Amino acid sequence: MNSDLAKRVWDHTWKLDPIVRSLLDTDFYKLLMLQPIVARHADVRTRFTLINRTSAVRLADEIDEKALREQLDHARTLRFTKKELIWLAGNSFYGRKQIFRPDFMAWLAGFRLPEYDLRVKDGDYVLEFDAPWPEATMWEIPALSIMNELKSRAAMRSMGRFELDILYARAKARLWSKIERLEKLEGLRISDFGTRRRHGFLWQRWCVEAMKEGLGDAFIGTSNVLLAMENDLESVGTNAHELPMVYAALAHGDEELRRAPYRVLDMWRDFYDGNLLILLPDTFGTAAFLERAPDSAADWTGFRPDSKPPLEAGEEIIAWYRARGRDPREKLLILSDALDVDTIESAHAALHGRIRLSYGWGTRLTNDFRGCASRPAPLLDPMSLVCKITSVNGRPAVKLSDNLDKATGEPAEIARYLRVFGTQGRGSHAVEV
């Protein structure tokens, strides 16, 4: 389906084009993580908080609060439909039938998003979700999608129909030129990871359809479950930082804290196998994770490094596999942090053939409108907006990352985690999206 995007943006009302139109409009890893969370940790209470790392943009100055509340309230009316539940239960994911268990499917059938807390502080929104973990976690992607698309709509509010035509024509041409470069890469495997910072739902759908046509089999799927269902694509994704963040926050004492990331691995293996055994090493620092990882971790399918430059991360993981007596060429490396065509091309040139490569392309796929408007429109530029766990059962949660500019948590707790996990391999550089 090829929408006239300019006309839809010009004509739409929010009731015609709500930002979140299905609970499947989320990333696949949320559902994969949700299954063990519901089974093992339904009584854990978490708080998720929207964090704006782009301090130059004060969202409450740009986005109308009434419009924001309307979109959040609309998302709370959504339920998984019978058609969606049948598709989830019966579809084959990662080569496995019935990856979601019947008790989990029954839980999904009754799910709705919990209440939210929204207020304004210093010209920016404070948006938090304080609820049992299985409920609060499902707000992450809808909240980010709503805030990013409302920002896009605010940027385009004063544009006329022909101005919007030109905007989207330029953005389409830019994406297609990227696709033409990517199709030249031998053995390319790439997927859409762009839901959380997309320009808008309709634009992400156009991007996914363009990738499917332009790249053929090299485009292996999308993390967006709704778009995967609608476009007969694979749903892709594994796990995220929130799992070790929660396990760490619940730990008693430094030694238990140090073991927390590996307890996550034990839990994950109880539910999944095969290509879902992907390690995310950087929650508290990749060097610390690799140094203490059990030998069994080297037998997992691969890694998804998320906060180091792709080449640096790739070389580090290839060296680790060799040190553990494993052949890196049999392992999978999923690169997904701040990718664009230049970084994909350079990573492919350096790493292809030395390890199995796959790319999760995010913001610069679904939200690259920089310079496409006929007059300055800085609000169209993507921003670094995240939704992270900030407390677990009333205890502070921390994410360190390899890039200390991405660290989240209370300063005293960050200092403690740095003491426990060490500072090796960390840097500090501007967060790119």
Side-chain angles (χ1 to χ4, degrees):
M1 195 278 288
N2 195 352
S3 299
D4 183 340
L5 291 166
K7 185 176 188 303
R8 286 287 287 271
V9 170
W10 177 252
D11 290 342
H12 81 72
T13 65
W14 79 264
K15 291 184 179 179
L16 172 64
D17 282 323
I19 292 172
V20 179
R21 53 200 73 201
S22 164
L23 289 175
L24 280 189
D25 185 12
T26 192
D27 280 337
F28 191 48
Y29 78 85
K30 298 302 294 189
L31 296 179
L32 290 171
M33 292 193 303
L34 185 60
Q35 179 164 235
I37 291 170
V38 169
R40 301 278 178 88
H41 305 291
D43 58 344
V44 172
R45 192 167 189 92
T46 56
R47 177 185 293 115
F48 281 72
T49 303
L50 201 75
I51 300 171
N52 180 5
R53 293 173 176 154
T54 308
S55 57
V57 179
R58 304 199 311 176
L59 291 170
D61 291 342
E62 309 295 345
I63 295 172
D64 178 69
E65 184 175 343
K66 180 175 181 292
L68 175 55
R69 289 187 181 275
E70 283 179 339
Q71 295 290 345
L72 294 169
D73 290 341
H74 172 73
R76 294 198 66 231
T77 69
L78 299 173
R79 303 291 185 276
F80 286 101
T81 67
K82 184 176 181 180
K83 174 186 175 182
E84 292 168 345
L85 292 170
I86 291 172
W87 183 81
L88 279 175
N91 201 34
S92 174
F93 299 103
Y94 284 84
R96 286 183 50 189
K97 288 283 189 182
Q98 296 180 327
I99 198 170
F100 296 118
R101 302 172 181 180
D103 55 344
F104 176 62
M105 295 304 303
W107 186 91
L108 282 182
F111 173 75
R112 64 175 293 184
L113 289 166
E115 294 182 356
Y116 61 87
D117 177 30
L118 175 67
R119 58 192 186 277
V120 177
K121 181 180 179 182
D122 299 329
D124 217 337
Y125 285 116
V126 178
L127 180 58
E128 295 187 316
F129 313 98
D130 192 326
W133 190 10
E135 299 174 25
T137 186
M138 288 296 283
W139 259 121
E140 179 186 0
I141 306 302
L144 291 170
S145 298
I146 287 169
M147 200 68 79
N148 277 293
E149 184 158 348
L150 284 176
K151 181 179 73 71
S152 298
R153 292 183 181 186
M156 298 184 294
R157 189 179 298 124
S158 64
M159 294 183 184
R161 170 67 189 278
F162 290 97
E163 194 173 1
L164 288 169
D165 266 332
I166 296 303
L167 174 74
Y168 281 105
R170 288 171 175 166
K172 287 178 178 180
R174 171 176 289 171
L175 176 57
W176 195 254
S177 70
K178 293 180 181 183
I179 290 172
E180 289 175 331
R181 289 170 62 182
L182 290 173
E183 68 179 345
K184 298 174 183 177
L185 299 181
E186 180 185 356
L188 178 70
R189 291 172 55 83
I190 192 167
S191 54
D192 158 45
F193 274 21
T195 301
R196 63 179 53 239
R197 293 199 184 105
R198 68 192 182 196
H199 168 81
F201 173 80
L202 296 176
W203 177 247
Q204 184 183 15
R205 183 167 65 185
W206 190 92
C207 293
V208 165
E209 292 170 354
M211 292 278 282
K212 182 178 180 180
E213 178 177 319
L215 293 178
D217 291 341
F219 182 55
I220 61 173
T222 171
S223 66
N224 187 290
V225 190
L226 179 62
L227 292 176
M229 184 180 74
E230 291 181 344
N231 290 278
D232 193 27
L233 290 166
E234 292 290 332
S235 295
V236 294
T238 52
N239 52 72
H241 299 107
E242 72 178 85
L243 294 177
M245 287 176 70
V246 170
Y247 275 54
L250 293 174
H252 296 284
D254 290 354
E255 185 53 38
E256 193 172 326
L257 171 60
R258 197 174 285 111
R259 292 198 305 267
Y262 311 115
R263 292 185 55 232
V264 172
L265 307 188
D266 294 336
M267 177 274 290
W268 195 256
R269 288 215 68 156
D270 289 342
F271 286 83
Y272 305 114
D273 57 18
N275 285 334
L276 284 173
L277 297 182
I278 300 296
L279 298 154
L280 179 65
D282 69 307
T283 309
F284 308 120
T286 298
F289 181 92
L290 295 178
E291 181 182 357
R292 302 185 181 95
D295 195 59
S296 59
D299 294 322
W300 280 43
T301 301
F303 277 89
R304 181 175 73 86
D306 192 51
S307 57
K308 279 188 176 179
L311 291 181
E312 182 181 346
E315 295 292 354
E316 183 176 25
I317 288 167
I318 286 172
W320 182 82
Y321 274 127
R322 288 174 175 160
R324 294 292 180 111
R326 307 312 197 267
D327 185 351
R329 293 171 298 179
E330 298 175 356
K331 299 299 181 178
L332 178 63
L333 180 68
I334 303 172
L335 298 176
S336 62
D337 185 41
L339 296 183
D340 206 358
V341 176
D342 290 342
T343 51
I344 293 171
E345 287 176 335
S346 61
H348 211 73
L351 301 173
H352 178 60
R354 300 170 61 202
I355 193 168
R356 293 165 51 212
L357 278 174
S358 182
Y359 303 93
W361 196 12
T363 308
R364 296 295 173 88
L365 167 62
T366 61
N367 199 356
D368 192 0
F369 283 73
R370 297 163 299 158
C372 289
S374 56
R375 50 194 161 111
L379 271 185
L380 280 176
D381 292 348
M383 61 187 295
S384 183
L385 194 66
V386 295
C387 188
K388 293 293 183 184
I389 286 183
T390 49
S391 74
V392 181
N393 285 350
R395 305 173 69 176
V398 170
K399 174 176 175 277
L400 290 181
S401 176
D402 290 318
N403 177 7
L404 289 175
D405 284 5
K406 282 187 169 184
T408 61
E410 298 177 1
E413 282 298 296
I414 290 176
R416 176 186 170 229
Y417 277 57
L418 285 171
R419 175 175 57 79
V420 170
F421 291 102
T423 58
Q424 180 184 357
R426 304 186 196 280
S428 184
H429 51 86
V431 179
E432 297 184 17
V433 295

